[in-house]
Amino acid sequence: MSTYQRIVLASRPQGDVTPDNFRLETVEIPAITDGQVLVRNHYLSLDPYMRGRMSDAKSYAAPQPLNETMIGGTVGEVIASNNPKFAVGDFVVGMFGWSEIGVSDGALLRKVDGKVIPPSAYLGAVGMPGMTAWYGFNHILKAKPGETVVVSSASGAVGSVVGQLAKLKGCRAVGIAGGGEKCDYVVNTLGFDACVDYKAGNLEGDLAAATPDGVDAIFENVGGAVFDAALARTNAFARVALCGMIAGYNGEDIPLRNARLLLTNRITVQGFIVTEHLDLWPQGLSELGGLVATGKLQFRESVADGLAQAPDAFIGLLKGKNFGKQLVKMI
Amino acid sequence: MSTYQRIVLASRPQGDVTPDNFRLETVEIPAITDGQVLVRNHYLSLDPYMRGRMSDAKSYAAPQPLNETMIGGTVGEVIASNNPKFAVGDFVVGMFGWSEIGVSDGALLRKVDGKVIPPSAYLGAVGMPGMTAWYGFNHILKAKPGETVVVSSASGAVGSVVGQLAKLKGCRAVGIAGGGEKCDYVVNTLGFDACVDYKAGNLEGDLAAATPDGVDAIFENVGGAVFDAALARTNAFARVALCGMIAGYNGEDIPLRNARLLLTNRITVQGFIVTEHLDLWPQGLSELGGLVATGKLQFRESVADGLAQAPDAFIGLLKGKNFGKQLVKMI
């Protein structure tokens, strides 16, 4: 094997992302120099934040440059090493992007144990999505036992962890997800107390029925009508961890219908980006790893086969077609 | 004098408040029993929160009952006392409502010094509006020297104090107010660095020009387009103290146009009600009283003459016709 495949950003989307925003390239595997390692990526993580990077609108992160490898988290195996800290066969988590191969000096690589926990989990429940859930739940929502926590995108990589952490804490966990199959999974496999199918056409009424004591905490991944419905159920002093706004992923405004509720219910809304809290990652990942290893934290994956499938899988993710953490298997 | 006047809520408003929502009544002055004091109110405070109480929609406080004296803060003089803690001639702040006379067992009365500070100030800069500013500025915005603080309703009872506290802290204070006269006052008398006239038709552009380094903290009294414009200027990690939503005082939804900004700029928005933080009032009122007594905190009053004028003055307040703290003088 002397070449590998990668996907670059070919053009910025005008509205919906389309396959021709991406370009698959075949390139030479480089020789590694002193201190470097060569990694064969096994899994690529696809995440909603990538949509933001594809635009050049002002955001918290610089836009993804055109004609360069799409950004993304990866887990893979060291296949050559000139770095004493890494041996061939080590599993490492990195940000090698939409690429079968990565080269690094090791500084930003995290060595993981691929035996107790499956390597792909380090891109989900024991990775950035899990940490997003852990940080938002523990450091923003600060939910107490008996409180009601509402989680949108409840079957997704982040939401599924939020609800399970809420249950472990003794809260009532209520999910919002799209479709009966996802809702069944949220309740019967993940153990949420209830799940509302926003596609069933009675979001507000169904959410009211599922939250008889109101809502004390919201973990928001969607925005728009889903967020409005959850806000309408809040109790006094509710907290909102604002994690994502996938409802407006094409850059359109996402109105919050009734901002007065934030005042009348004395709500605190906090937007956050988990990579700005790296000091807490060791603690969080250790707790999440323990929960996965002992079977207390369930997760589900949607796996696309081969890097060439990544654009379609990503477009599906933005439309909620995935079911669980969206990955691309590259080996 | 054996009778006094009071105003009761005659009917709940359908949309705009109208004079016939109120009814002026003449009633007998009651005899006071053991432990009670009789107070002749000098000033009544008119405040936007009263609009919320006039409706029976769910809110943080019970609605104002029909046919009972309208709720409201007052300052007045004790004219008869069967309570050893109060002497005739004492000035007291209370919640006697839209009424010339009040009777109390003294439990909720606060004795004030009417000589160093004019009594009416205890309904403004050294009262609930001042405390609202003090709490929101110090405990939610937590602005640091050099940061930019935007304040809507900047010439009003709350906003004027916020901006002056911001200046005392070494911040850049930028007001938003309606009309050139109010803006002149905000800059030239209150000492804000700049003031944007939202009626001038170029709110977003003018606010951008007034906040060259972006916005780090927003004290929001208005909501709607004014709030949207301030949010659009936020820097990362901006804080919002959500104090009022007078833009939607008739109960209509007040949308927040682009909720995604809360996420991309990692903003914290906190709604609050100052009467839920009574433990901090002694400290806050002491600080505010000291600032007023030493001339470091300016305030301005709009005084309606006589209780019969209260409905018109209140309707004007909701439309921004007042200029400074709206009071009704009753003696």
Side-chain angles (χ1 to χ4, degrees):
Chain A
M1 177 165 125
S2 64
T3 62
Y4 70 99
Q5 292 194 306
R6 68 178 184 193
I7 290 177
V8 302
L9 181 65
S11 60
R12 301 198 185 280
Q14 309 297 319
D16 282 340
V17 175
T18 55
D20 64 3
N21 294 137
F22 304 96
R23 187 174 61 245
L24 184 70
E25 295 183 345
T26 299
V27 287
E28 293 285 319
I29 296 178
I32 55 172
T33 59
D34 243 25
Q36 289 188 327
V37 295
L38 188 69
V39 178
R40 178 69 175 93
N41 294 320
H42 287 212
Y43 289 95
L44 162 68
S45 174
L46 295 179
D47 300 277
Y49 77 84
M50 296 165 171
R51 175 63 185 84
R53 305 292 180 89
M54 293 175 77
S55 298
D56 51 11
K58 185 191 168 211
S59 186
Y60 52 86
Q64 159 75 40
L66 287 170
N67 302 313
E68 292 192 14
T69 306
M70 276 290 296
I71 191 173
T74 50
V75 63
E77 190 177 355
V78 174
I79 55 172
S81 177
N82 285 333
N83 183 320
K85 292 182 186 158
F86 297 90
V88 169
D90 282 349
F91 271 88
V92 290
V93 172
M95 289 292 288
F96 287 125
W98 297 26
S99 173
E100 293 173 335
I101 288 287
V103 173
S104 165
D105 65 4
L108 296 175
L109 291 185
R110 181 164 61 93
K111 220 188 292 190
V112 294
D113 180 343
K115 298 191 189 77
V116 179
I117 295 173
S120 61
Y122 293 106
L123 301 179
V126 194
M128 198 260 282
M131 270 309 298
T132 301
W134 184 92
Y135 179 83
F137 182 76
N138 288 305
H139 288 267
I140 297 179
L141 297 187
K142 297 172 188 165
K144 291 182 279 290
E147 288 193 323
T148 296
V149 180
V150 165
V151 187
S152 56
S153 290
S155 69
V158 176
S160 61
V161 176
V162 174
Q164 291 178 89
L165 292 178
K167 287 306 297 174
L168 288 166
K169 186 80 178 187
C171 303
R172 177 172 175 84
V174 176
I176 302 176
E181 193 190 3
K182 285 182 179 175
C183 278
D184 284 348
Y185 167 74
V186 166
V187 171
N188 297 322
T189 302
L190 300 180
F192 283 50
D193 296 283
C195 186
V196 171
D197 173 9
Y198 70 83
K199 292 182 176 172
N202 186 28
L203 174 59
E204 296 195 4
D206 290 347
L207 189 61
T211 58
D213 299 325
V215 171
D216 303 294
I218 300 172
F219 195 104
E220 187 54 54
N221 290 307
V222 174
V226 168
F227 188 24
D228 285 337
L231 278 177
R233 293 292 302 158
T234 45
N235 296 321
F237 308 111
R239 290 82 62 199
V240 178
L242 200 57
C243 170
M245 286 267 165
I246 202 168
Y249 61 80
N250 285 336
E252 60 271 36
D253 283 345
I254 313 173
L256 187 162
R257 188 167 54 79
N258 186 0
R260 189 195 293 101
L261 280 172
L262 304 180
L263 172 59
T264 52
N265 287 346
R266 292 86 89 206
I267 298 173
T268 300
V269 180
Q270 190 171 343
F272 74 105
I273 307 290
V274 73
T275 47
E276 291 174 335
H277 306 279
L278 292 177
D279 54 315
L280 294 167
W281 282 52
Q283 182 196 353
L285 291 177
S286 162
E287 289 183 24
L288 294 164
L291 291 172
V292 166
T294 56
K296 290 178 187 152
L297 190 60
Q298 306 297 320
F299 60 92
R300 180 179 172 123
E301 297 169 343
S302 243
V303 183
D305 192 21
L307 185 61
Q309 301 305 315
D312 282 350
F314 180 63
I315 291 166
L317 170 73
L318 294 177
K319 296 180 173 167
K321 290 189 180 164
N322 61 309
F323 186 172
K325 170 66 199 163
Q326 182 66 56
L327 298 169
V328 179
K329 192 172 189 317
M330 295 183 286
I331 199 161
Chain B
M1 176 167 127
S2 64
T3 61
Y4 69 99
Q5 292 194 309
R6 68 178 184 193
I7 290 177
V8 301
L9 181 64
S11 59
R12 302 200 184 279
Q14 309 297 319
D16 282 340
V17 176
T18 56
D20 64 2
N21 295 137
F22 304 97
R23 186 174 62 247
L24 185 70
E25 296 182 342
T26 300
V27 288
E28 293 285 319
I29 296 179
I32 54 172
T33 59
D34 243 27
Q36 289 188 328
V37 295
L38 188 70
V39 178
R40 178 70 175 92
N41 293 321
H42 287 212
Y43 289 95
L44 162 68
S45 173
L46 295 178
D47 300 278
Y49 76 84
M50 295 166 172
R51 176 61 186 84
R53 305 292 179 90
M54 292 176 76
S55 298
D56 51 10
K58 185 189 168 212
S59 185
Y60 52 86
Q64 160 74 40
L66 287 170
N67 302 312
E68 292 191 14
T69 306
M70 276 289 299
I71 191 173
T74 51
V75 63
E77 191 178 354
V78 173
I79 55 173
S81 176
N82 285 333
N83 184 320
K85 293 183 186 157
F86 297 90
V88 169
D90 282 350
F91 271 87
V92 290
V93 171
M95 289 292 288
F96 287 125
W98 297 27
S99 175
E100 293 173 336
I101 288 286
V103 173
S104 165
D105 64 3
L108 297 175
L109 292 185
R110 183 163 60 93
K111 220 187 294 189
V112 295
D113 180 344
K115 299 189 188 77
V116 178
I117 295 172
S120 61
Y122 293 106
L123 300 179
V126 194
M128 199 260 282
M131 270 310 298
T132 302
W134 184 92
Y135 180 83
F137 182 75
N138 289 303
H139 288 267
I140 296 178
L141 298 186
K142 297 172 188 165
K144 292 183 279 288
E147 288 193 322
T148 296
V149 180
V150 166
V151 187
S152 56
S153 289
S155 70
V158 176
S160 61
V161 177
V162 174
Q164 292 178 88
L165 292 177
K167 286 306 297 174
L168 288 166
K169 185 80 177 186
C171 302
R172 177 174 175 81
V174 176
I176 302 175
E181 194 190 3
K182 285 182 179 175
C183 278
D184 284 348
Y185 167 74
V186 165
V187 172
N188 297 322
T189 301
L190 300 180
F192 284 51
D193 297 283
C195 185
V196 171
D197 173 8
Y198 70 83
K199 293 182 175 172
N202 187 27
L203 174 59
E204 296 194 4
D206 291 347
L207 189 62
T211 57
D213 299 325
V215 171
D216 303 295
I218 300 172
F219 195 103
E220 187 54 53
N221 291 306
V222 174
V226 168
F227 188 24
D228 286 337
L231 278 177
R233 293 293 302 157
T234 46
N235 296 321
F237 307 111
R239 290 82 61 198
V240 178
L242 199 58
C243 169
M245 285 266 164
I246 202 167
Y249 61 80
N250 285 335
E252 61 270 36
D253 284 345
I254 313 173
L256 187 162
R257 187 167 55 77
N258 187 0
R260 188 195 294 101
L261 280 173
L262 304 180
L263 173 60
T264 52
N265 287 346
R266 291 85 89 204
I267 298 173
T268 301
V269 179
Q270 190 171 344
F272 73 106
I273 307 290
V274 74
T275 48
E276 291 175 335
H277 305 279
L278 292 177
D279 54 313
L280 294 166
W281 282 51
Q283 182 196 351
L285 291 176
S286 162
E287 289 183 25
L288 294 164
L291 292 171
V292 167
T294 56
K296 290 179 187 151
L297 190 59
Q298 307 296 320
F299 59 92
R300 180 180 172 122
E301 297 169 343
S302 244
V303 183
D305 192 19
L307 185 60
Q309 302 304 316
D312 282 351
F314 180 63
I315 290 166
L317 170 73
L318 295 177
K319 295 179 174 168
K321 290 188 179 164
N322 62 308
F323 186 172
K325 171 65 199 162
Q326 181 67 56
L327 297 169
V328 178
K329 192 173 189 317
M330 293 183 287
I331 199 162

